[in-house]
Amino acid sequence: MAGSAPFHLLPLFIRQTRSSSLKHHVLQRPLSLSLHRKTHHHRRPFTTTPLSHQLEQHHQTITPAPPIHLSSSPLPIAGDSKNARLVPASPSYFTTKPATTDDLLHLQSLLRKCQTLPTLPPAQAPRAVWKKLIDYRLSIGEEVPAAKYRRVLKLCARLNLIVPALKPASVTKAINFHKRAIDPLANKRRVDVVDEWGRGLGRGRRKSSRAQVWLVEGEGEVRVNGRGIEDVFSRVVDREAAIWPLLVLGRVGRYNVWAKVRGGGTTGWAEGMAMAVGRALMVHEPGLKAALRRAGVIRRDPRRVERKKPGHVKARKMPTWVKR
């Protein structure tokens, strides 16, 4: 057959004959053999199960779960039962913080319903102390971010501006949930008064020193821990600092001072005693509060000595560097 073909077309004829015979040979082979050879080179997955157990699992018949018939379901299904599906009760079920998101969505829905109600100015609105972030996290049971909690408090503050007589019960319930259980604004400070012996009591602190002062009308005598002020404070600066409120307001000769101090040194005693004298003076003359505040004897000085650090000479001072 190759001899009947021209000499210059012989290579092309041989190639066509080989390709046609190869196609015929491949088509005549059984399909299972070709599949077997195709999958023979695939890597067998690693397993620790014995071969006998693998054969048992391979021959074991797998039975699917029984189908669910929604037509016979006891739950009410509206519309076509073929397209029915289970829907979570919460719209934020698949979010990272579902309880917090539900709370935020609930407050937003309340604000949309009540945004047309009349409101009060912020100064006249009912005073409310909201929960701290850690308390809100414990009540919700989630690690609420601080930024999201600020959004919650902003909505609560807006709902709190609604006129109390027109405020719905749902809004009141939502506001009460975010309030603190104990209202610190309800605690009233105890008002100190002059006792039956005509004494006004004041307390003061400075650094680690504490002072108690009883102020009574008299000739200007000052006693500290049962001793005279000259015996306790050797420096004139400390003596003036101890009765500084009386010196500023010109009432040195009108009141007697009995003080009891403890802790710290003479500087702490003198400045703590000045704070106590100023508060005791307010008991006798409440109108002097503004003047005493300007004198700086009402508020405690929070400064303390900074502690020494390891490797330092003092709190900040470092030892001298030496090359050798």
Side-chain angles (χ1 to χ4, degrees):
M1 190 174 186
S4 62
F7 182 76
H8 64 281
L9 297 179
L10 183 59
L12 179 62
F13 176 76
I14 294 174
R15 286 199 299 267
Q16 290 179 353
T17 306
R18 287 180 178 177
S19 61
S20 60
S21 61
L22 182 62
K23 291 180 181 179
H24 178 72
H25 179 69
V26 171
L27 292 177
Q28 292 298 324
R29 286 186 301 175
L31 182 62
S32 59
L33 180 61
S34 61
L35 292 178
H36 175 71
R37 289 185 177 180
K38 184 177 181 180
T39 58
H40 179 69
H41 300 285
H42 281 239
R43 199 171 204 178
R44 181 177 298 176
F46 175 77
T47 178
T48 58
T49 308
L51 183 59
S52 58
H53 292 185
Q54 295 182 27
L55 294 176
E56 292 178 2
Q57 295 175 3
H58 178 70
H59 294 291
Q60 185 180 3
T61 57
I62 301 175
T63 57
I68 301 176
H69 301 285
L70 297 177
S71 57
S72 60
S73 176
L75 300 176
I77 299 175
D80 188 8
S81 61
K82 295 182 179 180
N83 300 324
R85 62 186 180 88
L86 298 177
V87 180
S90 170
S92 56
Y93 177 79
F94 296 103
T95 60
T96 56
K97 306 288 187 297
T100 309
T101 309
D102 283 341
D103 189 20
L104 189 62
L105 295 176
H106 178 60
L107 293 174
Q108 290 175 352
S109 65
L110 290 177
L111 184 58
R112 283 194 298 269
K113 294 177 183 178
C114 306
Q115 61 182 353
T116 58
L117 295 178
T119 58
L120 296 173
Q124 302 178 8
R127 302 182 69 180
V129 180
W130 310 112
K131 291 180 181 178
K132 296 183 178 180
L133 179 58
I134 185 172
D135 298 331
Y136 183 74
R137 286 173 175 174
L138 292 175
S139 61
I140 291 293
E142 295 176 353
E143 193 67 21
V144 185
K148 183 167 286 189
Y149 185 56
R150 283 195 294 268
R151 294 175 58 189
V152 171
L153 292 185
K154 187 176 181 180
L155 293 172
C156 292
R158 172 59 181 84
L159 293 172
N160 193 42
L161 297 179
I162 301 175
V163 177
L166 304 176
K167 191 178 298 183
S170 58
V171 175
T172 305
K173 182 179 179 180
I175 290 177
N176 292 336
F177 174 75
H178 295 86
K179 283 184 179 180
R180 292 179 60 179
I182 300 176
D183 188 4
L185 301 176
N187 300 331
K188 295 182 179 180
R189 186 177 179 180
R190 183 184 63 183
V191 179
D192 295 328
V193 296
V194 179
D195 60 6
E196 55 184 357
W197 291 286
R199 300 177 305 179
L201 175 62
R203 297 179 177 86
R205 292 185 295 172
R206 176 70 174 97
K207 294 192 283 189
S208 58
S209 303
R210 298 172 179 270
Q212 280 184 309
V213 169
W214 287 269
L215 204 66
V216 64
E217 294 183 4
E219 299 80 15
E221 183 181 1
V222 181
R223 306 286 293 181
V224 181
N225 289 344
R227 298 186 295 169
I229 189 171
E230 296 83 3
D231 300 334
V232 177
F233 301 109
S234 58
R235 298 192 307 169
V236 179
V237 178
D238 293 339
R239 297 176 198 168
E240 293 180 353
I243 57 174
W244 179 250
L246 301 178
L247 289 174
V248 171
L249 300 177
R251 285 165 171 76
V252 177
R254 292 178 53 180
Y255 293 97
N256 293 340
V257 179
W258 276 269
K260 184 169 66 174
V261 294
R262 64 182 186 274
T266 55
T267 303
W269 285 11
E271 297 185 8
M273 185 175 166
M275 180 180 176
V277 170
R279 292 187 174 182
L281 187 58
M282 280 197 306
V283 176
H284 287 276
E285 303 179 48
L288 298 176
K289 182 177 181 178
L292 292 171
R293 187 180 294 276
R294 288 193 297 270
V297 295
I298 299 300
R299 189 173 181 178
R300 183 195 174 192
D301 190 352
R303 296 176 298 174
R304 299 180 68 91
V305 178
E306 189 176 349
R307 77 172 190 88
K308 181 185 178 302
K309 277 74 171 187
H312 291 216
V313 178
K314 297 192 296 184
R316 303 286 180 92
K317 184 179 179 181
M318 291 288 291
T320 306
W321 180 80
V322 181
K323 186 174 182 180
R324 294 178 179 86

